[in-house]
Amino acid sequence: MNRILRATAALGVGALVVALSACVAETDTGTIQGAPSADADDLRCGLGTGEEATGEPIKVAAVATASGGVDFSSSPSSAKAYFDCVNDNGGINGRPVRYEFGDDALDPTKTAQLAAGYASDTSVVAMVGDATFVGCDVANVEYEKAGLYSITGVGVPQACFESSNIAPVNAGPRTSALATLQYFERQGQADPFFAIGLNTRGNGDWVADGIEKYTQQAGIDLVGDVLSDPAESNFLPLVSQVKQAAPASLVVVDPAPITASILATAEQQDAKGDIQWACTASCYDAQFGEQIGYYWEGFVANSELALVTAEGEDANQWRAVMDEYADADAPRDTFSQAGFLAAKIFVDALLPLDTENLDRETVSEAVLGVRGYESDLLCAPWYYGEADEHHANHATRMAIIESGTYVELEGCQDVADPDMAEILEREQSEGLLTE
Amino acid sequence: MNLLPFVVAGLVIGSVYALSGVGVLVLYRTTGVLNFAHGAVGGMAALLVWQTVELRMQPPVAIALGIAAGAAIAFLFGLVAGPSLARVDQLRKAIATLGLALALLGVMLFVWNDKARTMRLETSRISFDVAGARVNVTQLVCLALALLVVVGTLLALRHTSMGTSMRALASDRELAAVVGTNVRLVENTAWAVSGAVAGISGILLADQTRLEPAFLTFLIIPELAAVVIGRFVSLWLTLVGGLAVGVGQSLVSAWPTVSAFSTAVPFVVATIVILVATRRRVVTVGVVRA
Amino acid sequence: MTALEISDLRIRRGGIEVVHGIDLTVNAGEVTALLGANGAGKSSTVLAVAGILRDTSGSITTDGTTIRGLAPNRVRRAGVATMQEGHRVFGDISVADNLTIASLLLPRHERAEAVDSMLDLFPEIHGFADRPAGSLSGGQQQMLALATALAARPKVLVIDEMSLGLAPLVVARLVPALRAVAERGVGVLLIEQFTSVALELATSVTVLAQGLVTLRAPAKELLDHPEKLTAAYRLTEH
């Protein structure tokens, strides 16, 4: 029986994959429309010698959620693309970076296993470009024991921002939601306000907590703060609540597919009204505007890094490196920028070191010592530093959908979070914002 | 609060659960296989429609293609796995389809990334107000189709040779074979038909809810609840069951205090039906004994 | 003319051989009785002919067509109808539809007529055409089972335990019906518990004991010498 079942699976699945892979390659466009074209100088990564690094490889790893329903692999993929570019340009003073990443398949047990595996392999000098959706807490336990540090590309749950050995390049959903709220506040459109999120522990509740605290502090009337089940199919109640509450603006802090369904229901009920609808960076991706349709012209989203079409030294290099070193169908999104930037920060931290003496200890010291790192992808300098929480990215940009695509609405703005006082204080007292 | 929009939305989703449940029921009765992959087949059909429309195919053609793909996937599985499934018990049959569901889910997650997708059928763009509830044409199609499929299936089972043979298989497979029914042909037909029904439901559900592989795959749960309410026998009760689950979910979600439990509605309704049905049987036995 | 020819048929059930190479011939227009004690291999033989038991060797042919190893529906299509033990009918399906299912083997335009003619053959069930078959009495169900087997005009009819569990009155009704079937040219293989019924209907008799043929004789001879039959039942017992 097994053989026959396997044959069925192989046959049916095989035929479909073959049929579909043809379609998919065509639709996922490799290059970004509306972005400035690449320059040859953009591919001078790292030392920029143009010579291949042939020395003893330096082992670097990452843990990311690539399967199980969520795909964050664009972060390690772009990190890998950058490392490949560095290796073609003299590497880390002649030594190439050997990079690999493990997929935790949305399973924290698997995250812990992968983290423990990399932690026990002492030839792994650092973790770069990680993007696990579920396991920052369990991974941090392993890293801490082994003195291993991660320059994480994308962190989503609270634990990713409150760990000693993990520091994300992105801003996270809480900051992104607060950024959206504060944008509306600046426009005089935030009162009353409505927030929609996901009922997930350490994530949705963390975001909701931030919005509650901030609205209270700012004297904004929060007329709705709804957390829905991730498996919810019926968004009509939610839309009715929004209609009834009649806020001036609202933010959806859900993964893009759920946001799209909520918007579809709202469109079906013609519930857009005079409300300013917006979402966090999770739905800032090129496909989104086209998917939700013309009804949602003027929809607003937060962007945790520079817009994918932005002009700038690092923004240009990111696009050029992706075109040259990544798969044509690899996503060109914020997560991809984050992975790229994590890898770049890492390389820039290692270049000044003594190449002969690169081990986990010296690398960790260099990584911890990163401070005042500037990039046009970021709004403010990024830093690591020794602390129990890491949340350097707290200044973001806003985008708006015009003719189905996102364009910049507002440039860099600092985001206020009542719970981040300690971080801000440390930035000043330890001088983390300057090199 | 005006509950009418909730009732309408519940009836619409419920009618698609029922539509889908009819496919599950016909296949189960004919082949003895409880197909846990029904939702996954629907998801695959919906994603194929989305993909082909993205490639600028005419939506009606794309939909026809999606439904055909649903039928083809189920038919192929029935064709290859059917003979071995006929020899194992029901639990193993069901588990084998669970395998198919996970394989299809894997393929969908592999081929389509987790970015946002929406399915907007042309008929969803035409909508009107009914006593404060917004109704679109797709929703009317859902309701009409569910009714049509139930009536059509009943008529087909009664008046066509294939339908008669399906009833024979449902009643006594061995006897059916002995009196000359081409068991394999009838089973393969049942697979293809239920696959097509899965495809239609998948496309409608994607339009009405979310176009996501895992989400559509696990809609098999409310669909099965409808079949359980139909006690694995009755098409009409399956329709009633689907509508009950849909409306129940929708109404529960209307009240914020209990809305978190709306996903539990299929289980609750199915459990109540099983308990009531069991109790009634016990009572009957008691009467007979007395 | 030979309607069904079985030669050197061996049957295994659960890997154990229960019938050890038997030969059997059923002539068209005649009833051939297959007798024997419980466990002699009669039912196994029926199930093997019907295609339900497939772990077999030897040969079973009808009209020169090999049917051994074919699926039940293909055996039936080859012209060999089987009436299984225990008046087996589609209990939750109406009497008329029971017959319709069997008539599907016929060309489309002949089906309705075949169903009607079968209902006419057994007036006892005619009035219940729209009732579920499961609601009929045992005797009526056996009539329906016989009618179902005959609906698509088989060339060979294999009957497993025709009168088991039925009232004598019902048996008395079935016997002439079966005789009429044979007279129309159908070759009948009858497995029967009651030797009196079997000998009354059959032209020739084959006796099985422990999976082997122990006696082959004309029915008339056994009517005159019942002791031969008794001996054959016990022949291989030691």
Side-chain angles (χ1 to χ4, degrees):
Chain A
M1 189 188 86
N2 279 333
R3 211 178 328 145
I4 294 168
L5 280 179
R6 225 173 296 145
T8 325
L11 205 80
V13 164
L16 275 163
V17 169
V18 170
L20 291 172
S21 50
C23 312
V24 172
E26 255 175 85
T27 50
D28 281 7
T29 44
T31 47
I32 302 160
Q33 285 178 342
S37 54
D39 195 292
D41 279 352
D42 290 338
L43 287 173
R44 300 170 72 87
C45 306
L47 293 173
T49 62
E51 276 166 35
E52 202 183 323
T54 51
E56 194 195 340
I58 302 165
K59 212 163 153 189
V60 177
V63 178
T65 304
S67 61
V70 180
D71 185 1
F72 278 13
S73 64
S74 62
S75 172
S77 302
S78 60
K80 181 165 188 351
Y82 182 72
F83 285 136
D84 287 347
C85 181
V86 167
N87 293 346
D88 279 354
N89 281 286
I92 309 288
N93 300 314
R95 291 180 65 177
V97 173
R98 207 170 80 212
Y99 183 67
E100 65 171 66
F101 88 92
D103 172 16
D104 68 14
L106 208 61
D107 174 6
T109 323
K110 189 89 187 290
T111 320
Q113 276 170 8
L114 287 166
Y118 291 131
S120 65
D121 178 358
T122 48
S123 66
V124 174
V125 299
M127 306 294 285
V128 176
D130 303 67
T132 171
F133 197 74
V134 288
C136 280
D137 43 356
V138 291
N140 193 62
V141 171
E142 302 296 339
Y143 300 160
E144 203 178 354
K145 277 192 290 193
L148 183 64
Y149 287 86
S150 160
I151 302 178
T152 289
V154 181
V156 177
Q158 187 172 10
C160 297
F161 297 88
E162 298 184 353
S163 293
S164 56
N165 291 42
I166 293 174
V169 167
N170 73 326
R174 175 161 160 146
T175 301
S176 193
L178 287 171
T180 312
L181 166 58
Q182 287 157 23
Y183 163 76
F184 286 128
E185 195 185 8
R186 281 190 291 280
Q187 309 302 312
Q189 292 171 321
D191 201 8
F193 192 71
F194 198 104
I196 295 168
L198 218 49
N199 197 0
T200 47
R201 245 163 48 93
N203 186 356
D205 51 359
W206 179 51
V207 176
D209 172 70
I211 291 173
E212 270 160 38
K213 281 189 178 141
Y214 182 80
T215 47
Q216 210 172 6
Q217 200 180 65
I220 292 169
D221 185 13
L222 185 62
V223 288
D225 193 359
V226 179
L227 298 182
S228 58
D229 189 287
E232 183 57 67
S233 61
N234 174 10
F235 294 109
L236 191 62
L238 183 61
V239 170
S240 306
Q241 270 173 281
V242 170
K243 251 176 145 175
Q244 228 164 13
S249 58
L250 69 75
V251 65
V252 185
V253 197
D254 279 333
I258 297 180
T259 307
S261 319
I262 294 172
L263 296 185
T265 307
E267 181 182 348
Q268 203 262 319
Q269 295 293 320
D270 199 7
K272 187 168 75 171
D274 295 328
I275 305 164
Q276 287 291 316
W277 291 69
C279 69
T280 50
S282 53
C283 62
Y284 174 68
D285 88 66
Q287 197 174 287
F288 194 80
E290 177 201 329
Q291 282 300 310
I292 60 176
Y294 63 88
Y295 184 85
W296 293 105
E297 275 288 298
F299 185 81
V300 171
N302 176 255
S303 178
E304 295 177 20
L305 293 172
L307 266 60
V308 293
T309 48
E311 169 93 65
E313 199 183 321
D314 288 350
N316 292 352
Q317 186 172 52
W318 163 65
R319 279 188 298 268
V321 164
M322 289 303 285
D323 287 347
E324 183 70 23
Y325 291 94
D327 288 343
D329 63 348
R332 267 61 164 177
D333 53 12
T334 304
F335 297 164
S336 171
Q337 291 175 319
F340 167 86
L341 188 55
K344 192 163 190 294
I345 293 169
F346 176 74
V347 169
D348 291 344
L350 258 59
L351 283 174
L353 299 187
D354 173 11
T355 319
E356 293 309 306
N357 219 349
L358 283 179
D359 58 19
R360 184 176 287 179
E361 204 180 326
T362 56
V363 169
S364 291
E365 203 186 312
V367 165
L368 275 173
V370 174
R371 57 179 60 194
Y373 189 93
E374 291 187 17
S375 163
D376 50 273
L377 289 171
L378 293 161
C379 281
W382 192 88
Y383 57 87
Y384 209 113
E386 240 170 300
D388 284 338
E389 49 183 354
H390 291 93
H391 201 146
N393 184 347
H394 48 78
T396 61
R397 303 163 172 89
M398 299 301 294
I400 184 167
I401 293 179
E402 273 176 14
S403 311
T405 51
Y406 280 111
V407 295
E408 187 164 291
L409 175 63
E410 191 189 55
C412 286
Q413 289 285 346
D414 228 359
V415 183
D417 182 337
D419 282 1
M420 287 211 345
E422 271 182 50
I423 288 180
L424 299 182
E425 194 193 290
R426 200 164 46 242
E427 280 178 3
Q428 298 307 321
S429 65
E430 295 181 18
L432 293 167
L433 298 179
T434 48
E435 244 180 297
Chain B
M1 181 166 35
N2 179 9
L3 284 180
L4 194 68
F6 293 90
V7 175
V8 170
L11 282 174
V12 169
I13 299 295
S15 65
V16 190
Y17 291 163
L19 172 65
S20 205
V22 168
V24 173
L25 180 57
V26 167
L27 182 70
Y28 173 69
R29 295 290 292 159
T30 307
T31 65
V33 178
L34 192 57
N35 187 9
F36 281 102
H38 203 71
V41 170
M44 183 64 96
L47 280 163
L48 280 172
V49 172
W50 180 86
Q51 188 66 64
T52 45
V53 168
E54 285 289 298
L55 294 171
R56 313 226 177 290
M57 188 181 273
Q58 286 296 313
V61 182
I63 291 167
L65 202 80
I67 296 170
I73 294 164
F75 173 76
L76 215 66
F77 182 75
L79 192 72
V80 182
S84 5
L85 288 182
R87 287 196 295 271
V88 300
D89 59 56
Q90 297 218 327
L91 185 63
R92 279 162 213 245
K93 288 180 200 191
I95 303 257
T97 66
L98 209 54
L100 175 66
L102 294 178
L104 288 175
L105 181 59
V107 170
M108 288 188 274
L109 292 175
F110 174 76
V111 175
W112 290 282
N113 60 24
D114 65 347
K115 295 279 181 280
R117 287 179 190 81
T118 51
M119 167 103 64
R120 302 289 279 152
L121 300 174
E122 283 306 312
T123 45
S124 302
R125 299 191 196 280
I126 312 159
S127 59
F128 42 87
D129 265 311
V130 181
R134 199 96 188 133
V135 178
N136 67 36
V137 176
T138 306
Q139 297 183 312
L140 296 181
V141 168
C142 291
L143 287 164
L145 212 56
L147 204 65
L148 204 73
V149 165
V150 169
V151 173
T153 307
L154 280 172
L155 288 177
L157 286 176
R158 193 141 299 281
H159 296 295
T160 66
S161 333
M162 186 52 77
T164 308
S165 298
M166 283 181 180
R167 278 194 293 146
L169 248 63
S171 176
D172 187 334
R173 303 171 58 76
E174 190 179 274
L175 180 59
V178 166
V179 302
T181 308
N182 189 341
V183 176
R184 299 280 303 143
L185 178 71
V186 176
E187 286 190 345
N188 290 341
T189 309
W191 276 104
V193 167
S194 85
V197 170
I200 296 169
S201 338
I203 294 163
L204 290 173
L205 285 168
D207 175 274
Q208 289 294 313
T209 62
R210 285 154 61 174
L211 180 54
E212 282 171 71
F215 180 78
L216 290 174
T217 298
F218 292 113
L219 279 187
I220 185 65
I221 289 165
E223 291 163 7
L224 277 182
V227 181
V228 168
I229 293 168
R231 316 227 11 225
F232 293 97
V233 186
S234 165
L235 289 168
W236 283 115
L237 284 180
T238 300
L239 177 63
V240 171
L243 295 176
V245 169
V247 172
Q249 271 185 328
S250 188
L251 286 180
V252 165
S253 69
W255 282 282
T257 43
V258 287
S259 64
F261 299 101
S262 74
T263 43
V265 167
F267 300 102
V268 174
V269 176
T271 309
I272 291 173
V273 167
I274 291 170
L275 287 177
V276 168
T278 321
R279 178 183 295 179
R280 197 190 298 148
R281 203 175 304 146
V282 172
V283 169
T284 332
V285 173
V287 169
V288 170
R289 276 187 194 144
Chain C
M1 202 187 91
T2 307
L4 183 72
E5 177 96 53
I6 296 174
S7 59
D8 195 27
L9 178 65
R10 289 167 186 276
I11 305 170
R12 278 168 300 275
R13 296 185 86 159
I16 296 158
E17 194 172 272
V18 291
V19 170
H20 314 290
I22 61 166
D23 297 321
L24 190 64
T25 305
V26 178
N27 287 326
E30 282 180 10
V31 176
T32 302
L34 184 60
L35 306 179
N38 277 338
K42 296 169 297 175
S43 283
S44 296
T45 306
V46 173
L47 295 174
V49 171
I52 296 167
L53 290 184
R54 308 247 203 115
D55 192 0
T56 58
S57 62
S59 102
I60 309 172
T61 60
T62 177
D63 249 3
T65 317
T66 294
I67 57 166
R68 189 188 63 80
L70 295 185
N73 62 302
R74 309 213 19 215
V75 170
R76 179 62 196 83
R77 270 154 211 263
V80 179
T82 305
M83 209 176 126
Q84 287 166 276
E85 194 182 335
H87 43 77
R88 195 150 161 190
V89 293
F90 298 109
D92 55 352
I93 295 179
S94 75
V95 168
D97 282 352
N98 263 267
L99 295 169
T100 307
I101 291 165
S103 77
L104 291 175
L105 283 183
L106 298 171
R108 191 170 290 273
H109 62 276
E110 292 177 27
R111 291 173 191 167
E113 201 194 313
V115 171
D116 287 341
S117 73
M118 282 302 126
L119 287 173
D120 290 341
L121 189 64
F122 294 103
E124 293 91 335
I125 57 173
H126 198 278
F128 304 135
D130 294 328
R131 287 243 206 120
S135 69
L136 300 181
S137 72
Q140 289 165 332
Q141 287 187 10
Q142 188 70 319
M143 286 176 202
L144 176 58
L146 181 56
T148 306
L150 293 172
R153 298 192 296 269
K155 285 176 286 185
V156 179
L157 175 60
V158 183
I159 302 178
D160 196 1
E161 302 292 7
M162 183 178 73
S163 57
L164 188 70
L166 298 182
L169 217 63
V170 178
V171 178
R173 175 71 185 84
L174 287 167
V175 166
L178 197 57
R179 185 173 290 134
V181 169
E183 274 163 12
R184 276 191 285 151
V186 176
V188 180
L189 178 63
L190 176 68
I191 280 82
E192 186 50 74
Q193 199 82 342
F194 299 106
T195 47
S196 59
V197 175
L199 296 182
E200 186 187 342
L201 275 165
T203 310
S204 63
V205 173
T206 300
V207 179
L208 287 187
Q210 295 187 357
L212 287 168
V213 174
T214 52
L215 177 70
R216 226 185 292 271
K220 240 182 234 140
E221 188 187 321
L222 296 177
L223 274 174
D224 297 339
H225 303 281
E227 74 283 358
K228 283 191 182 174
L229 199 58
T230 328
Y233 268 56
R234 294 194 182 130
L235 201 67
T236 50
E237 284 178 22
H238 301 290

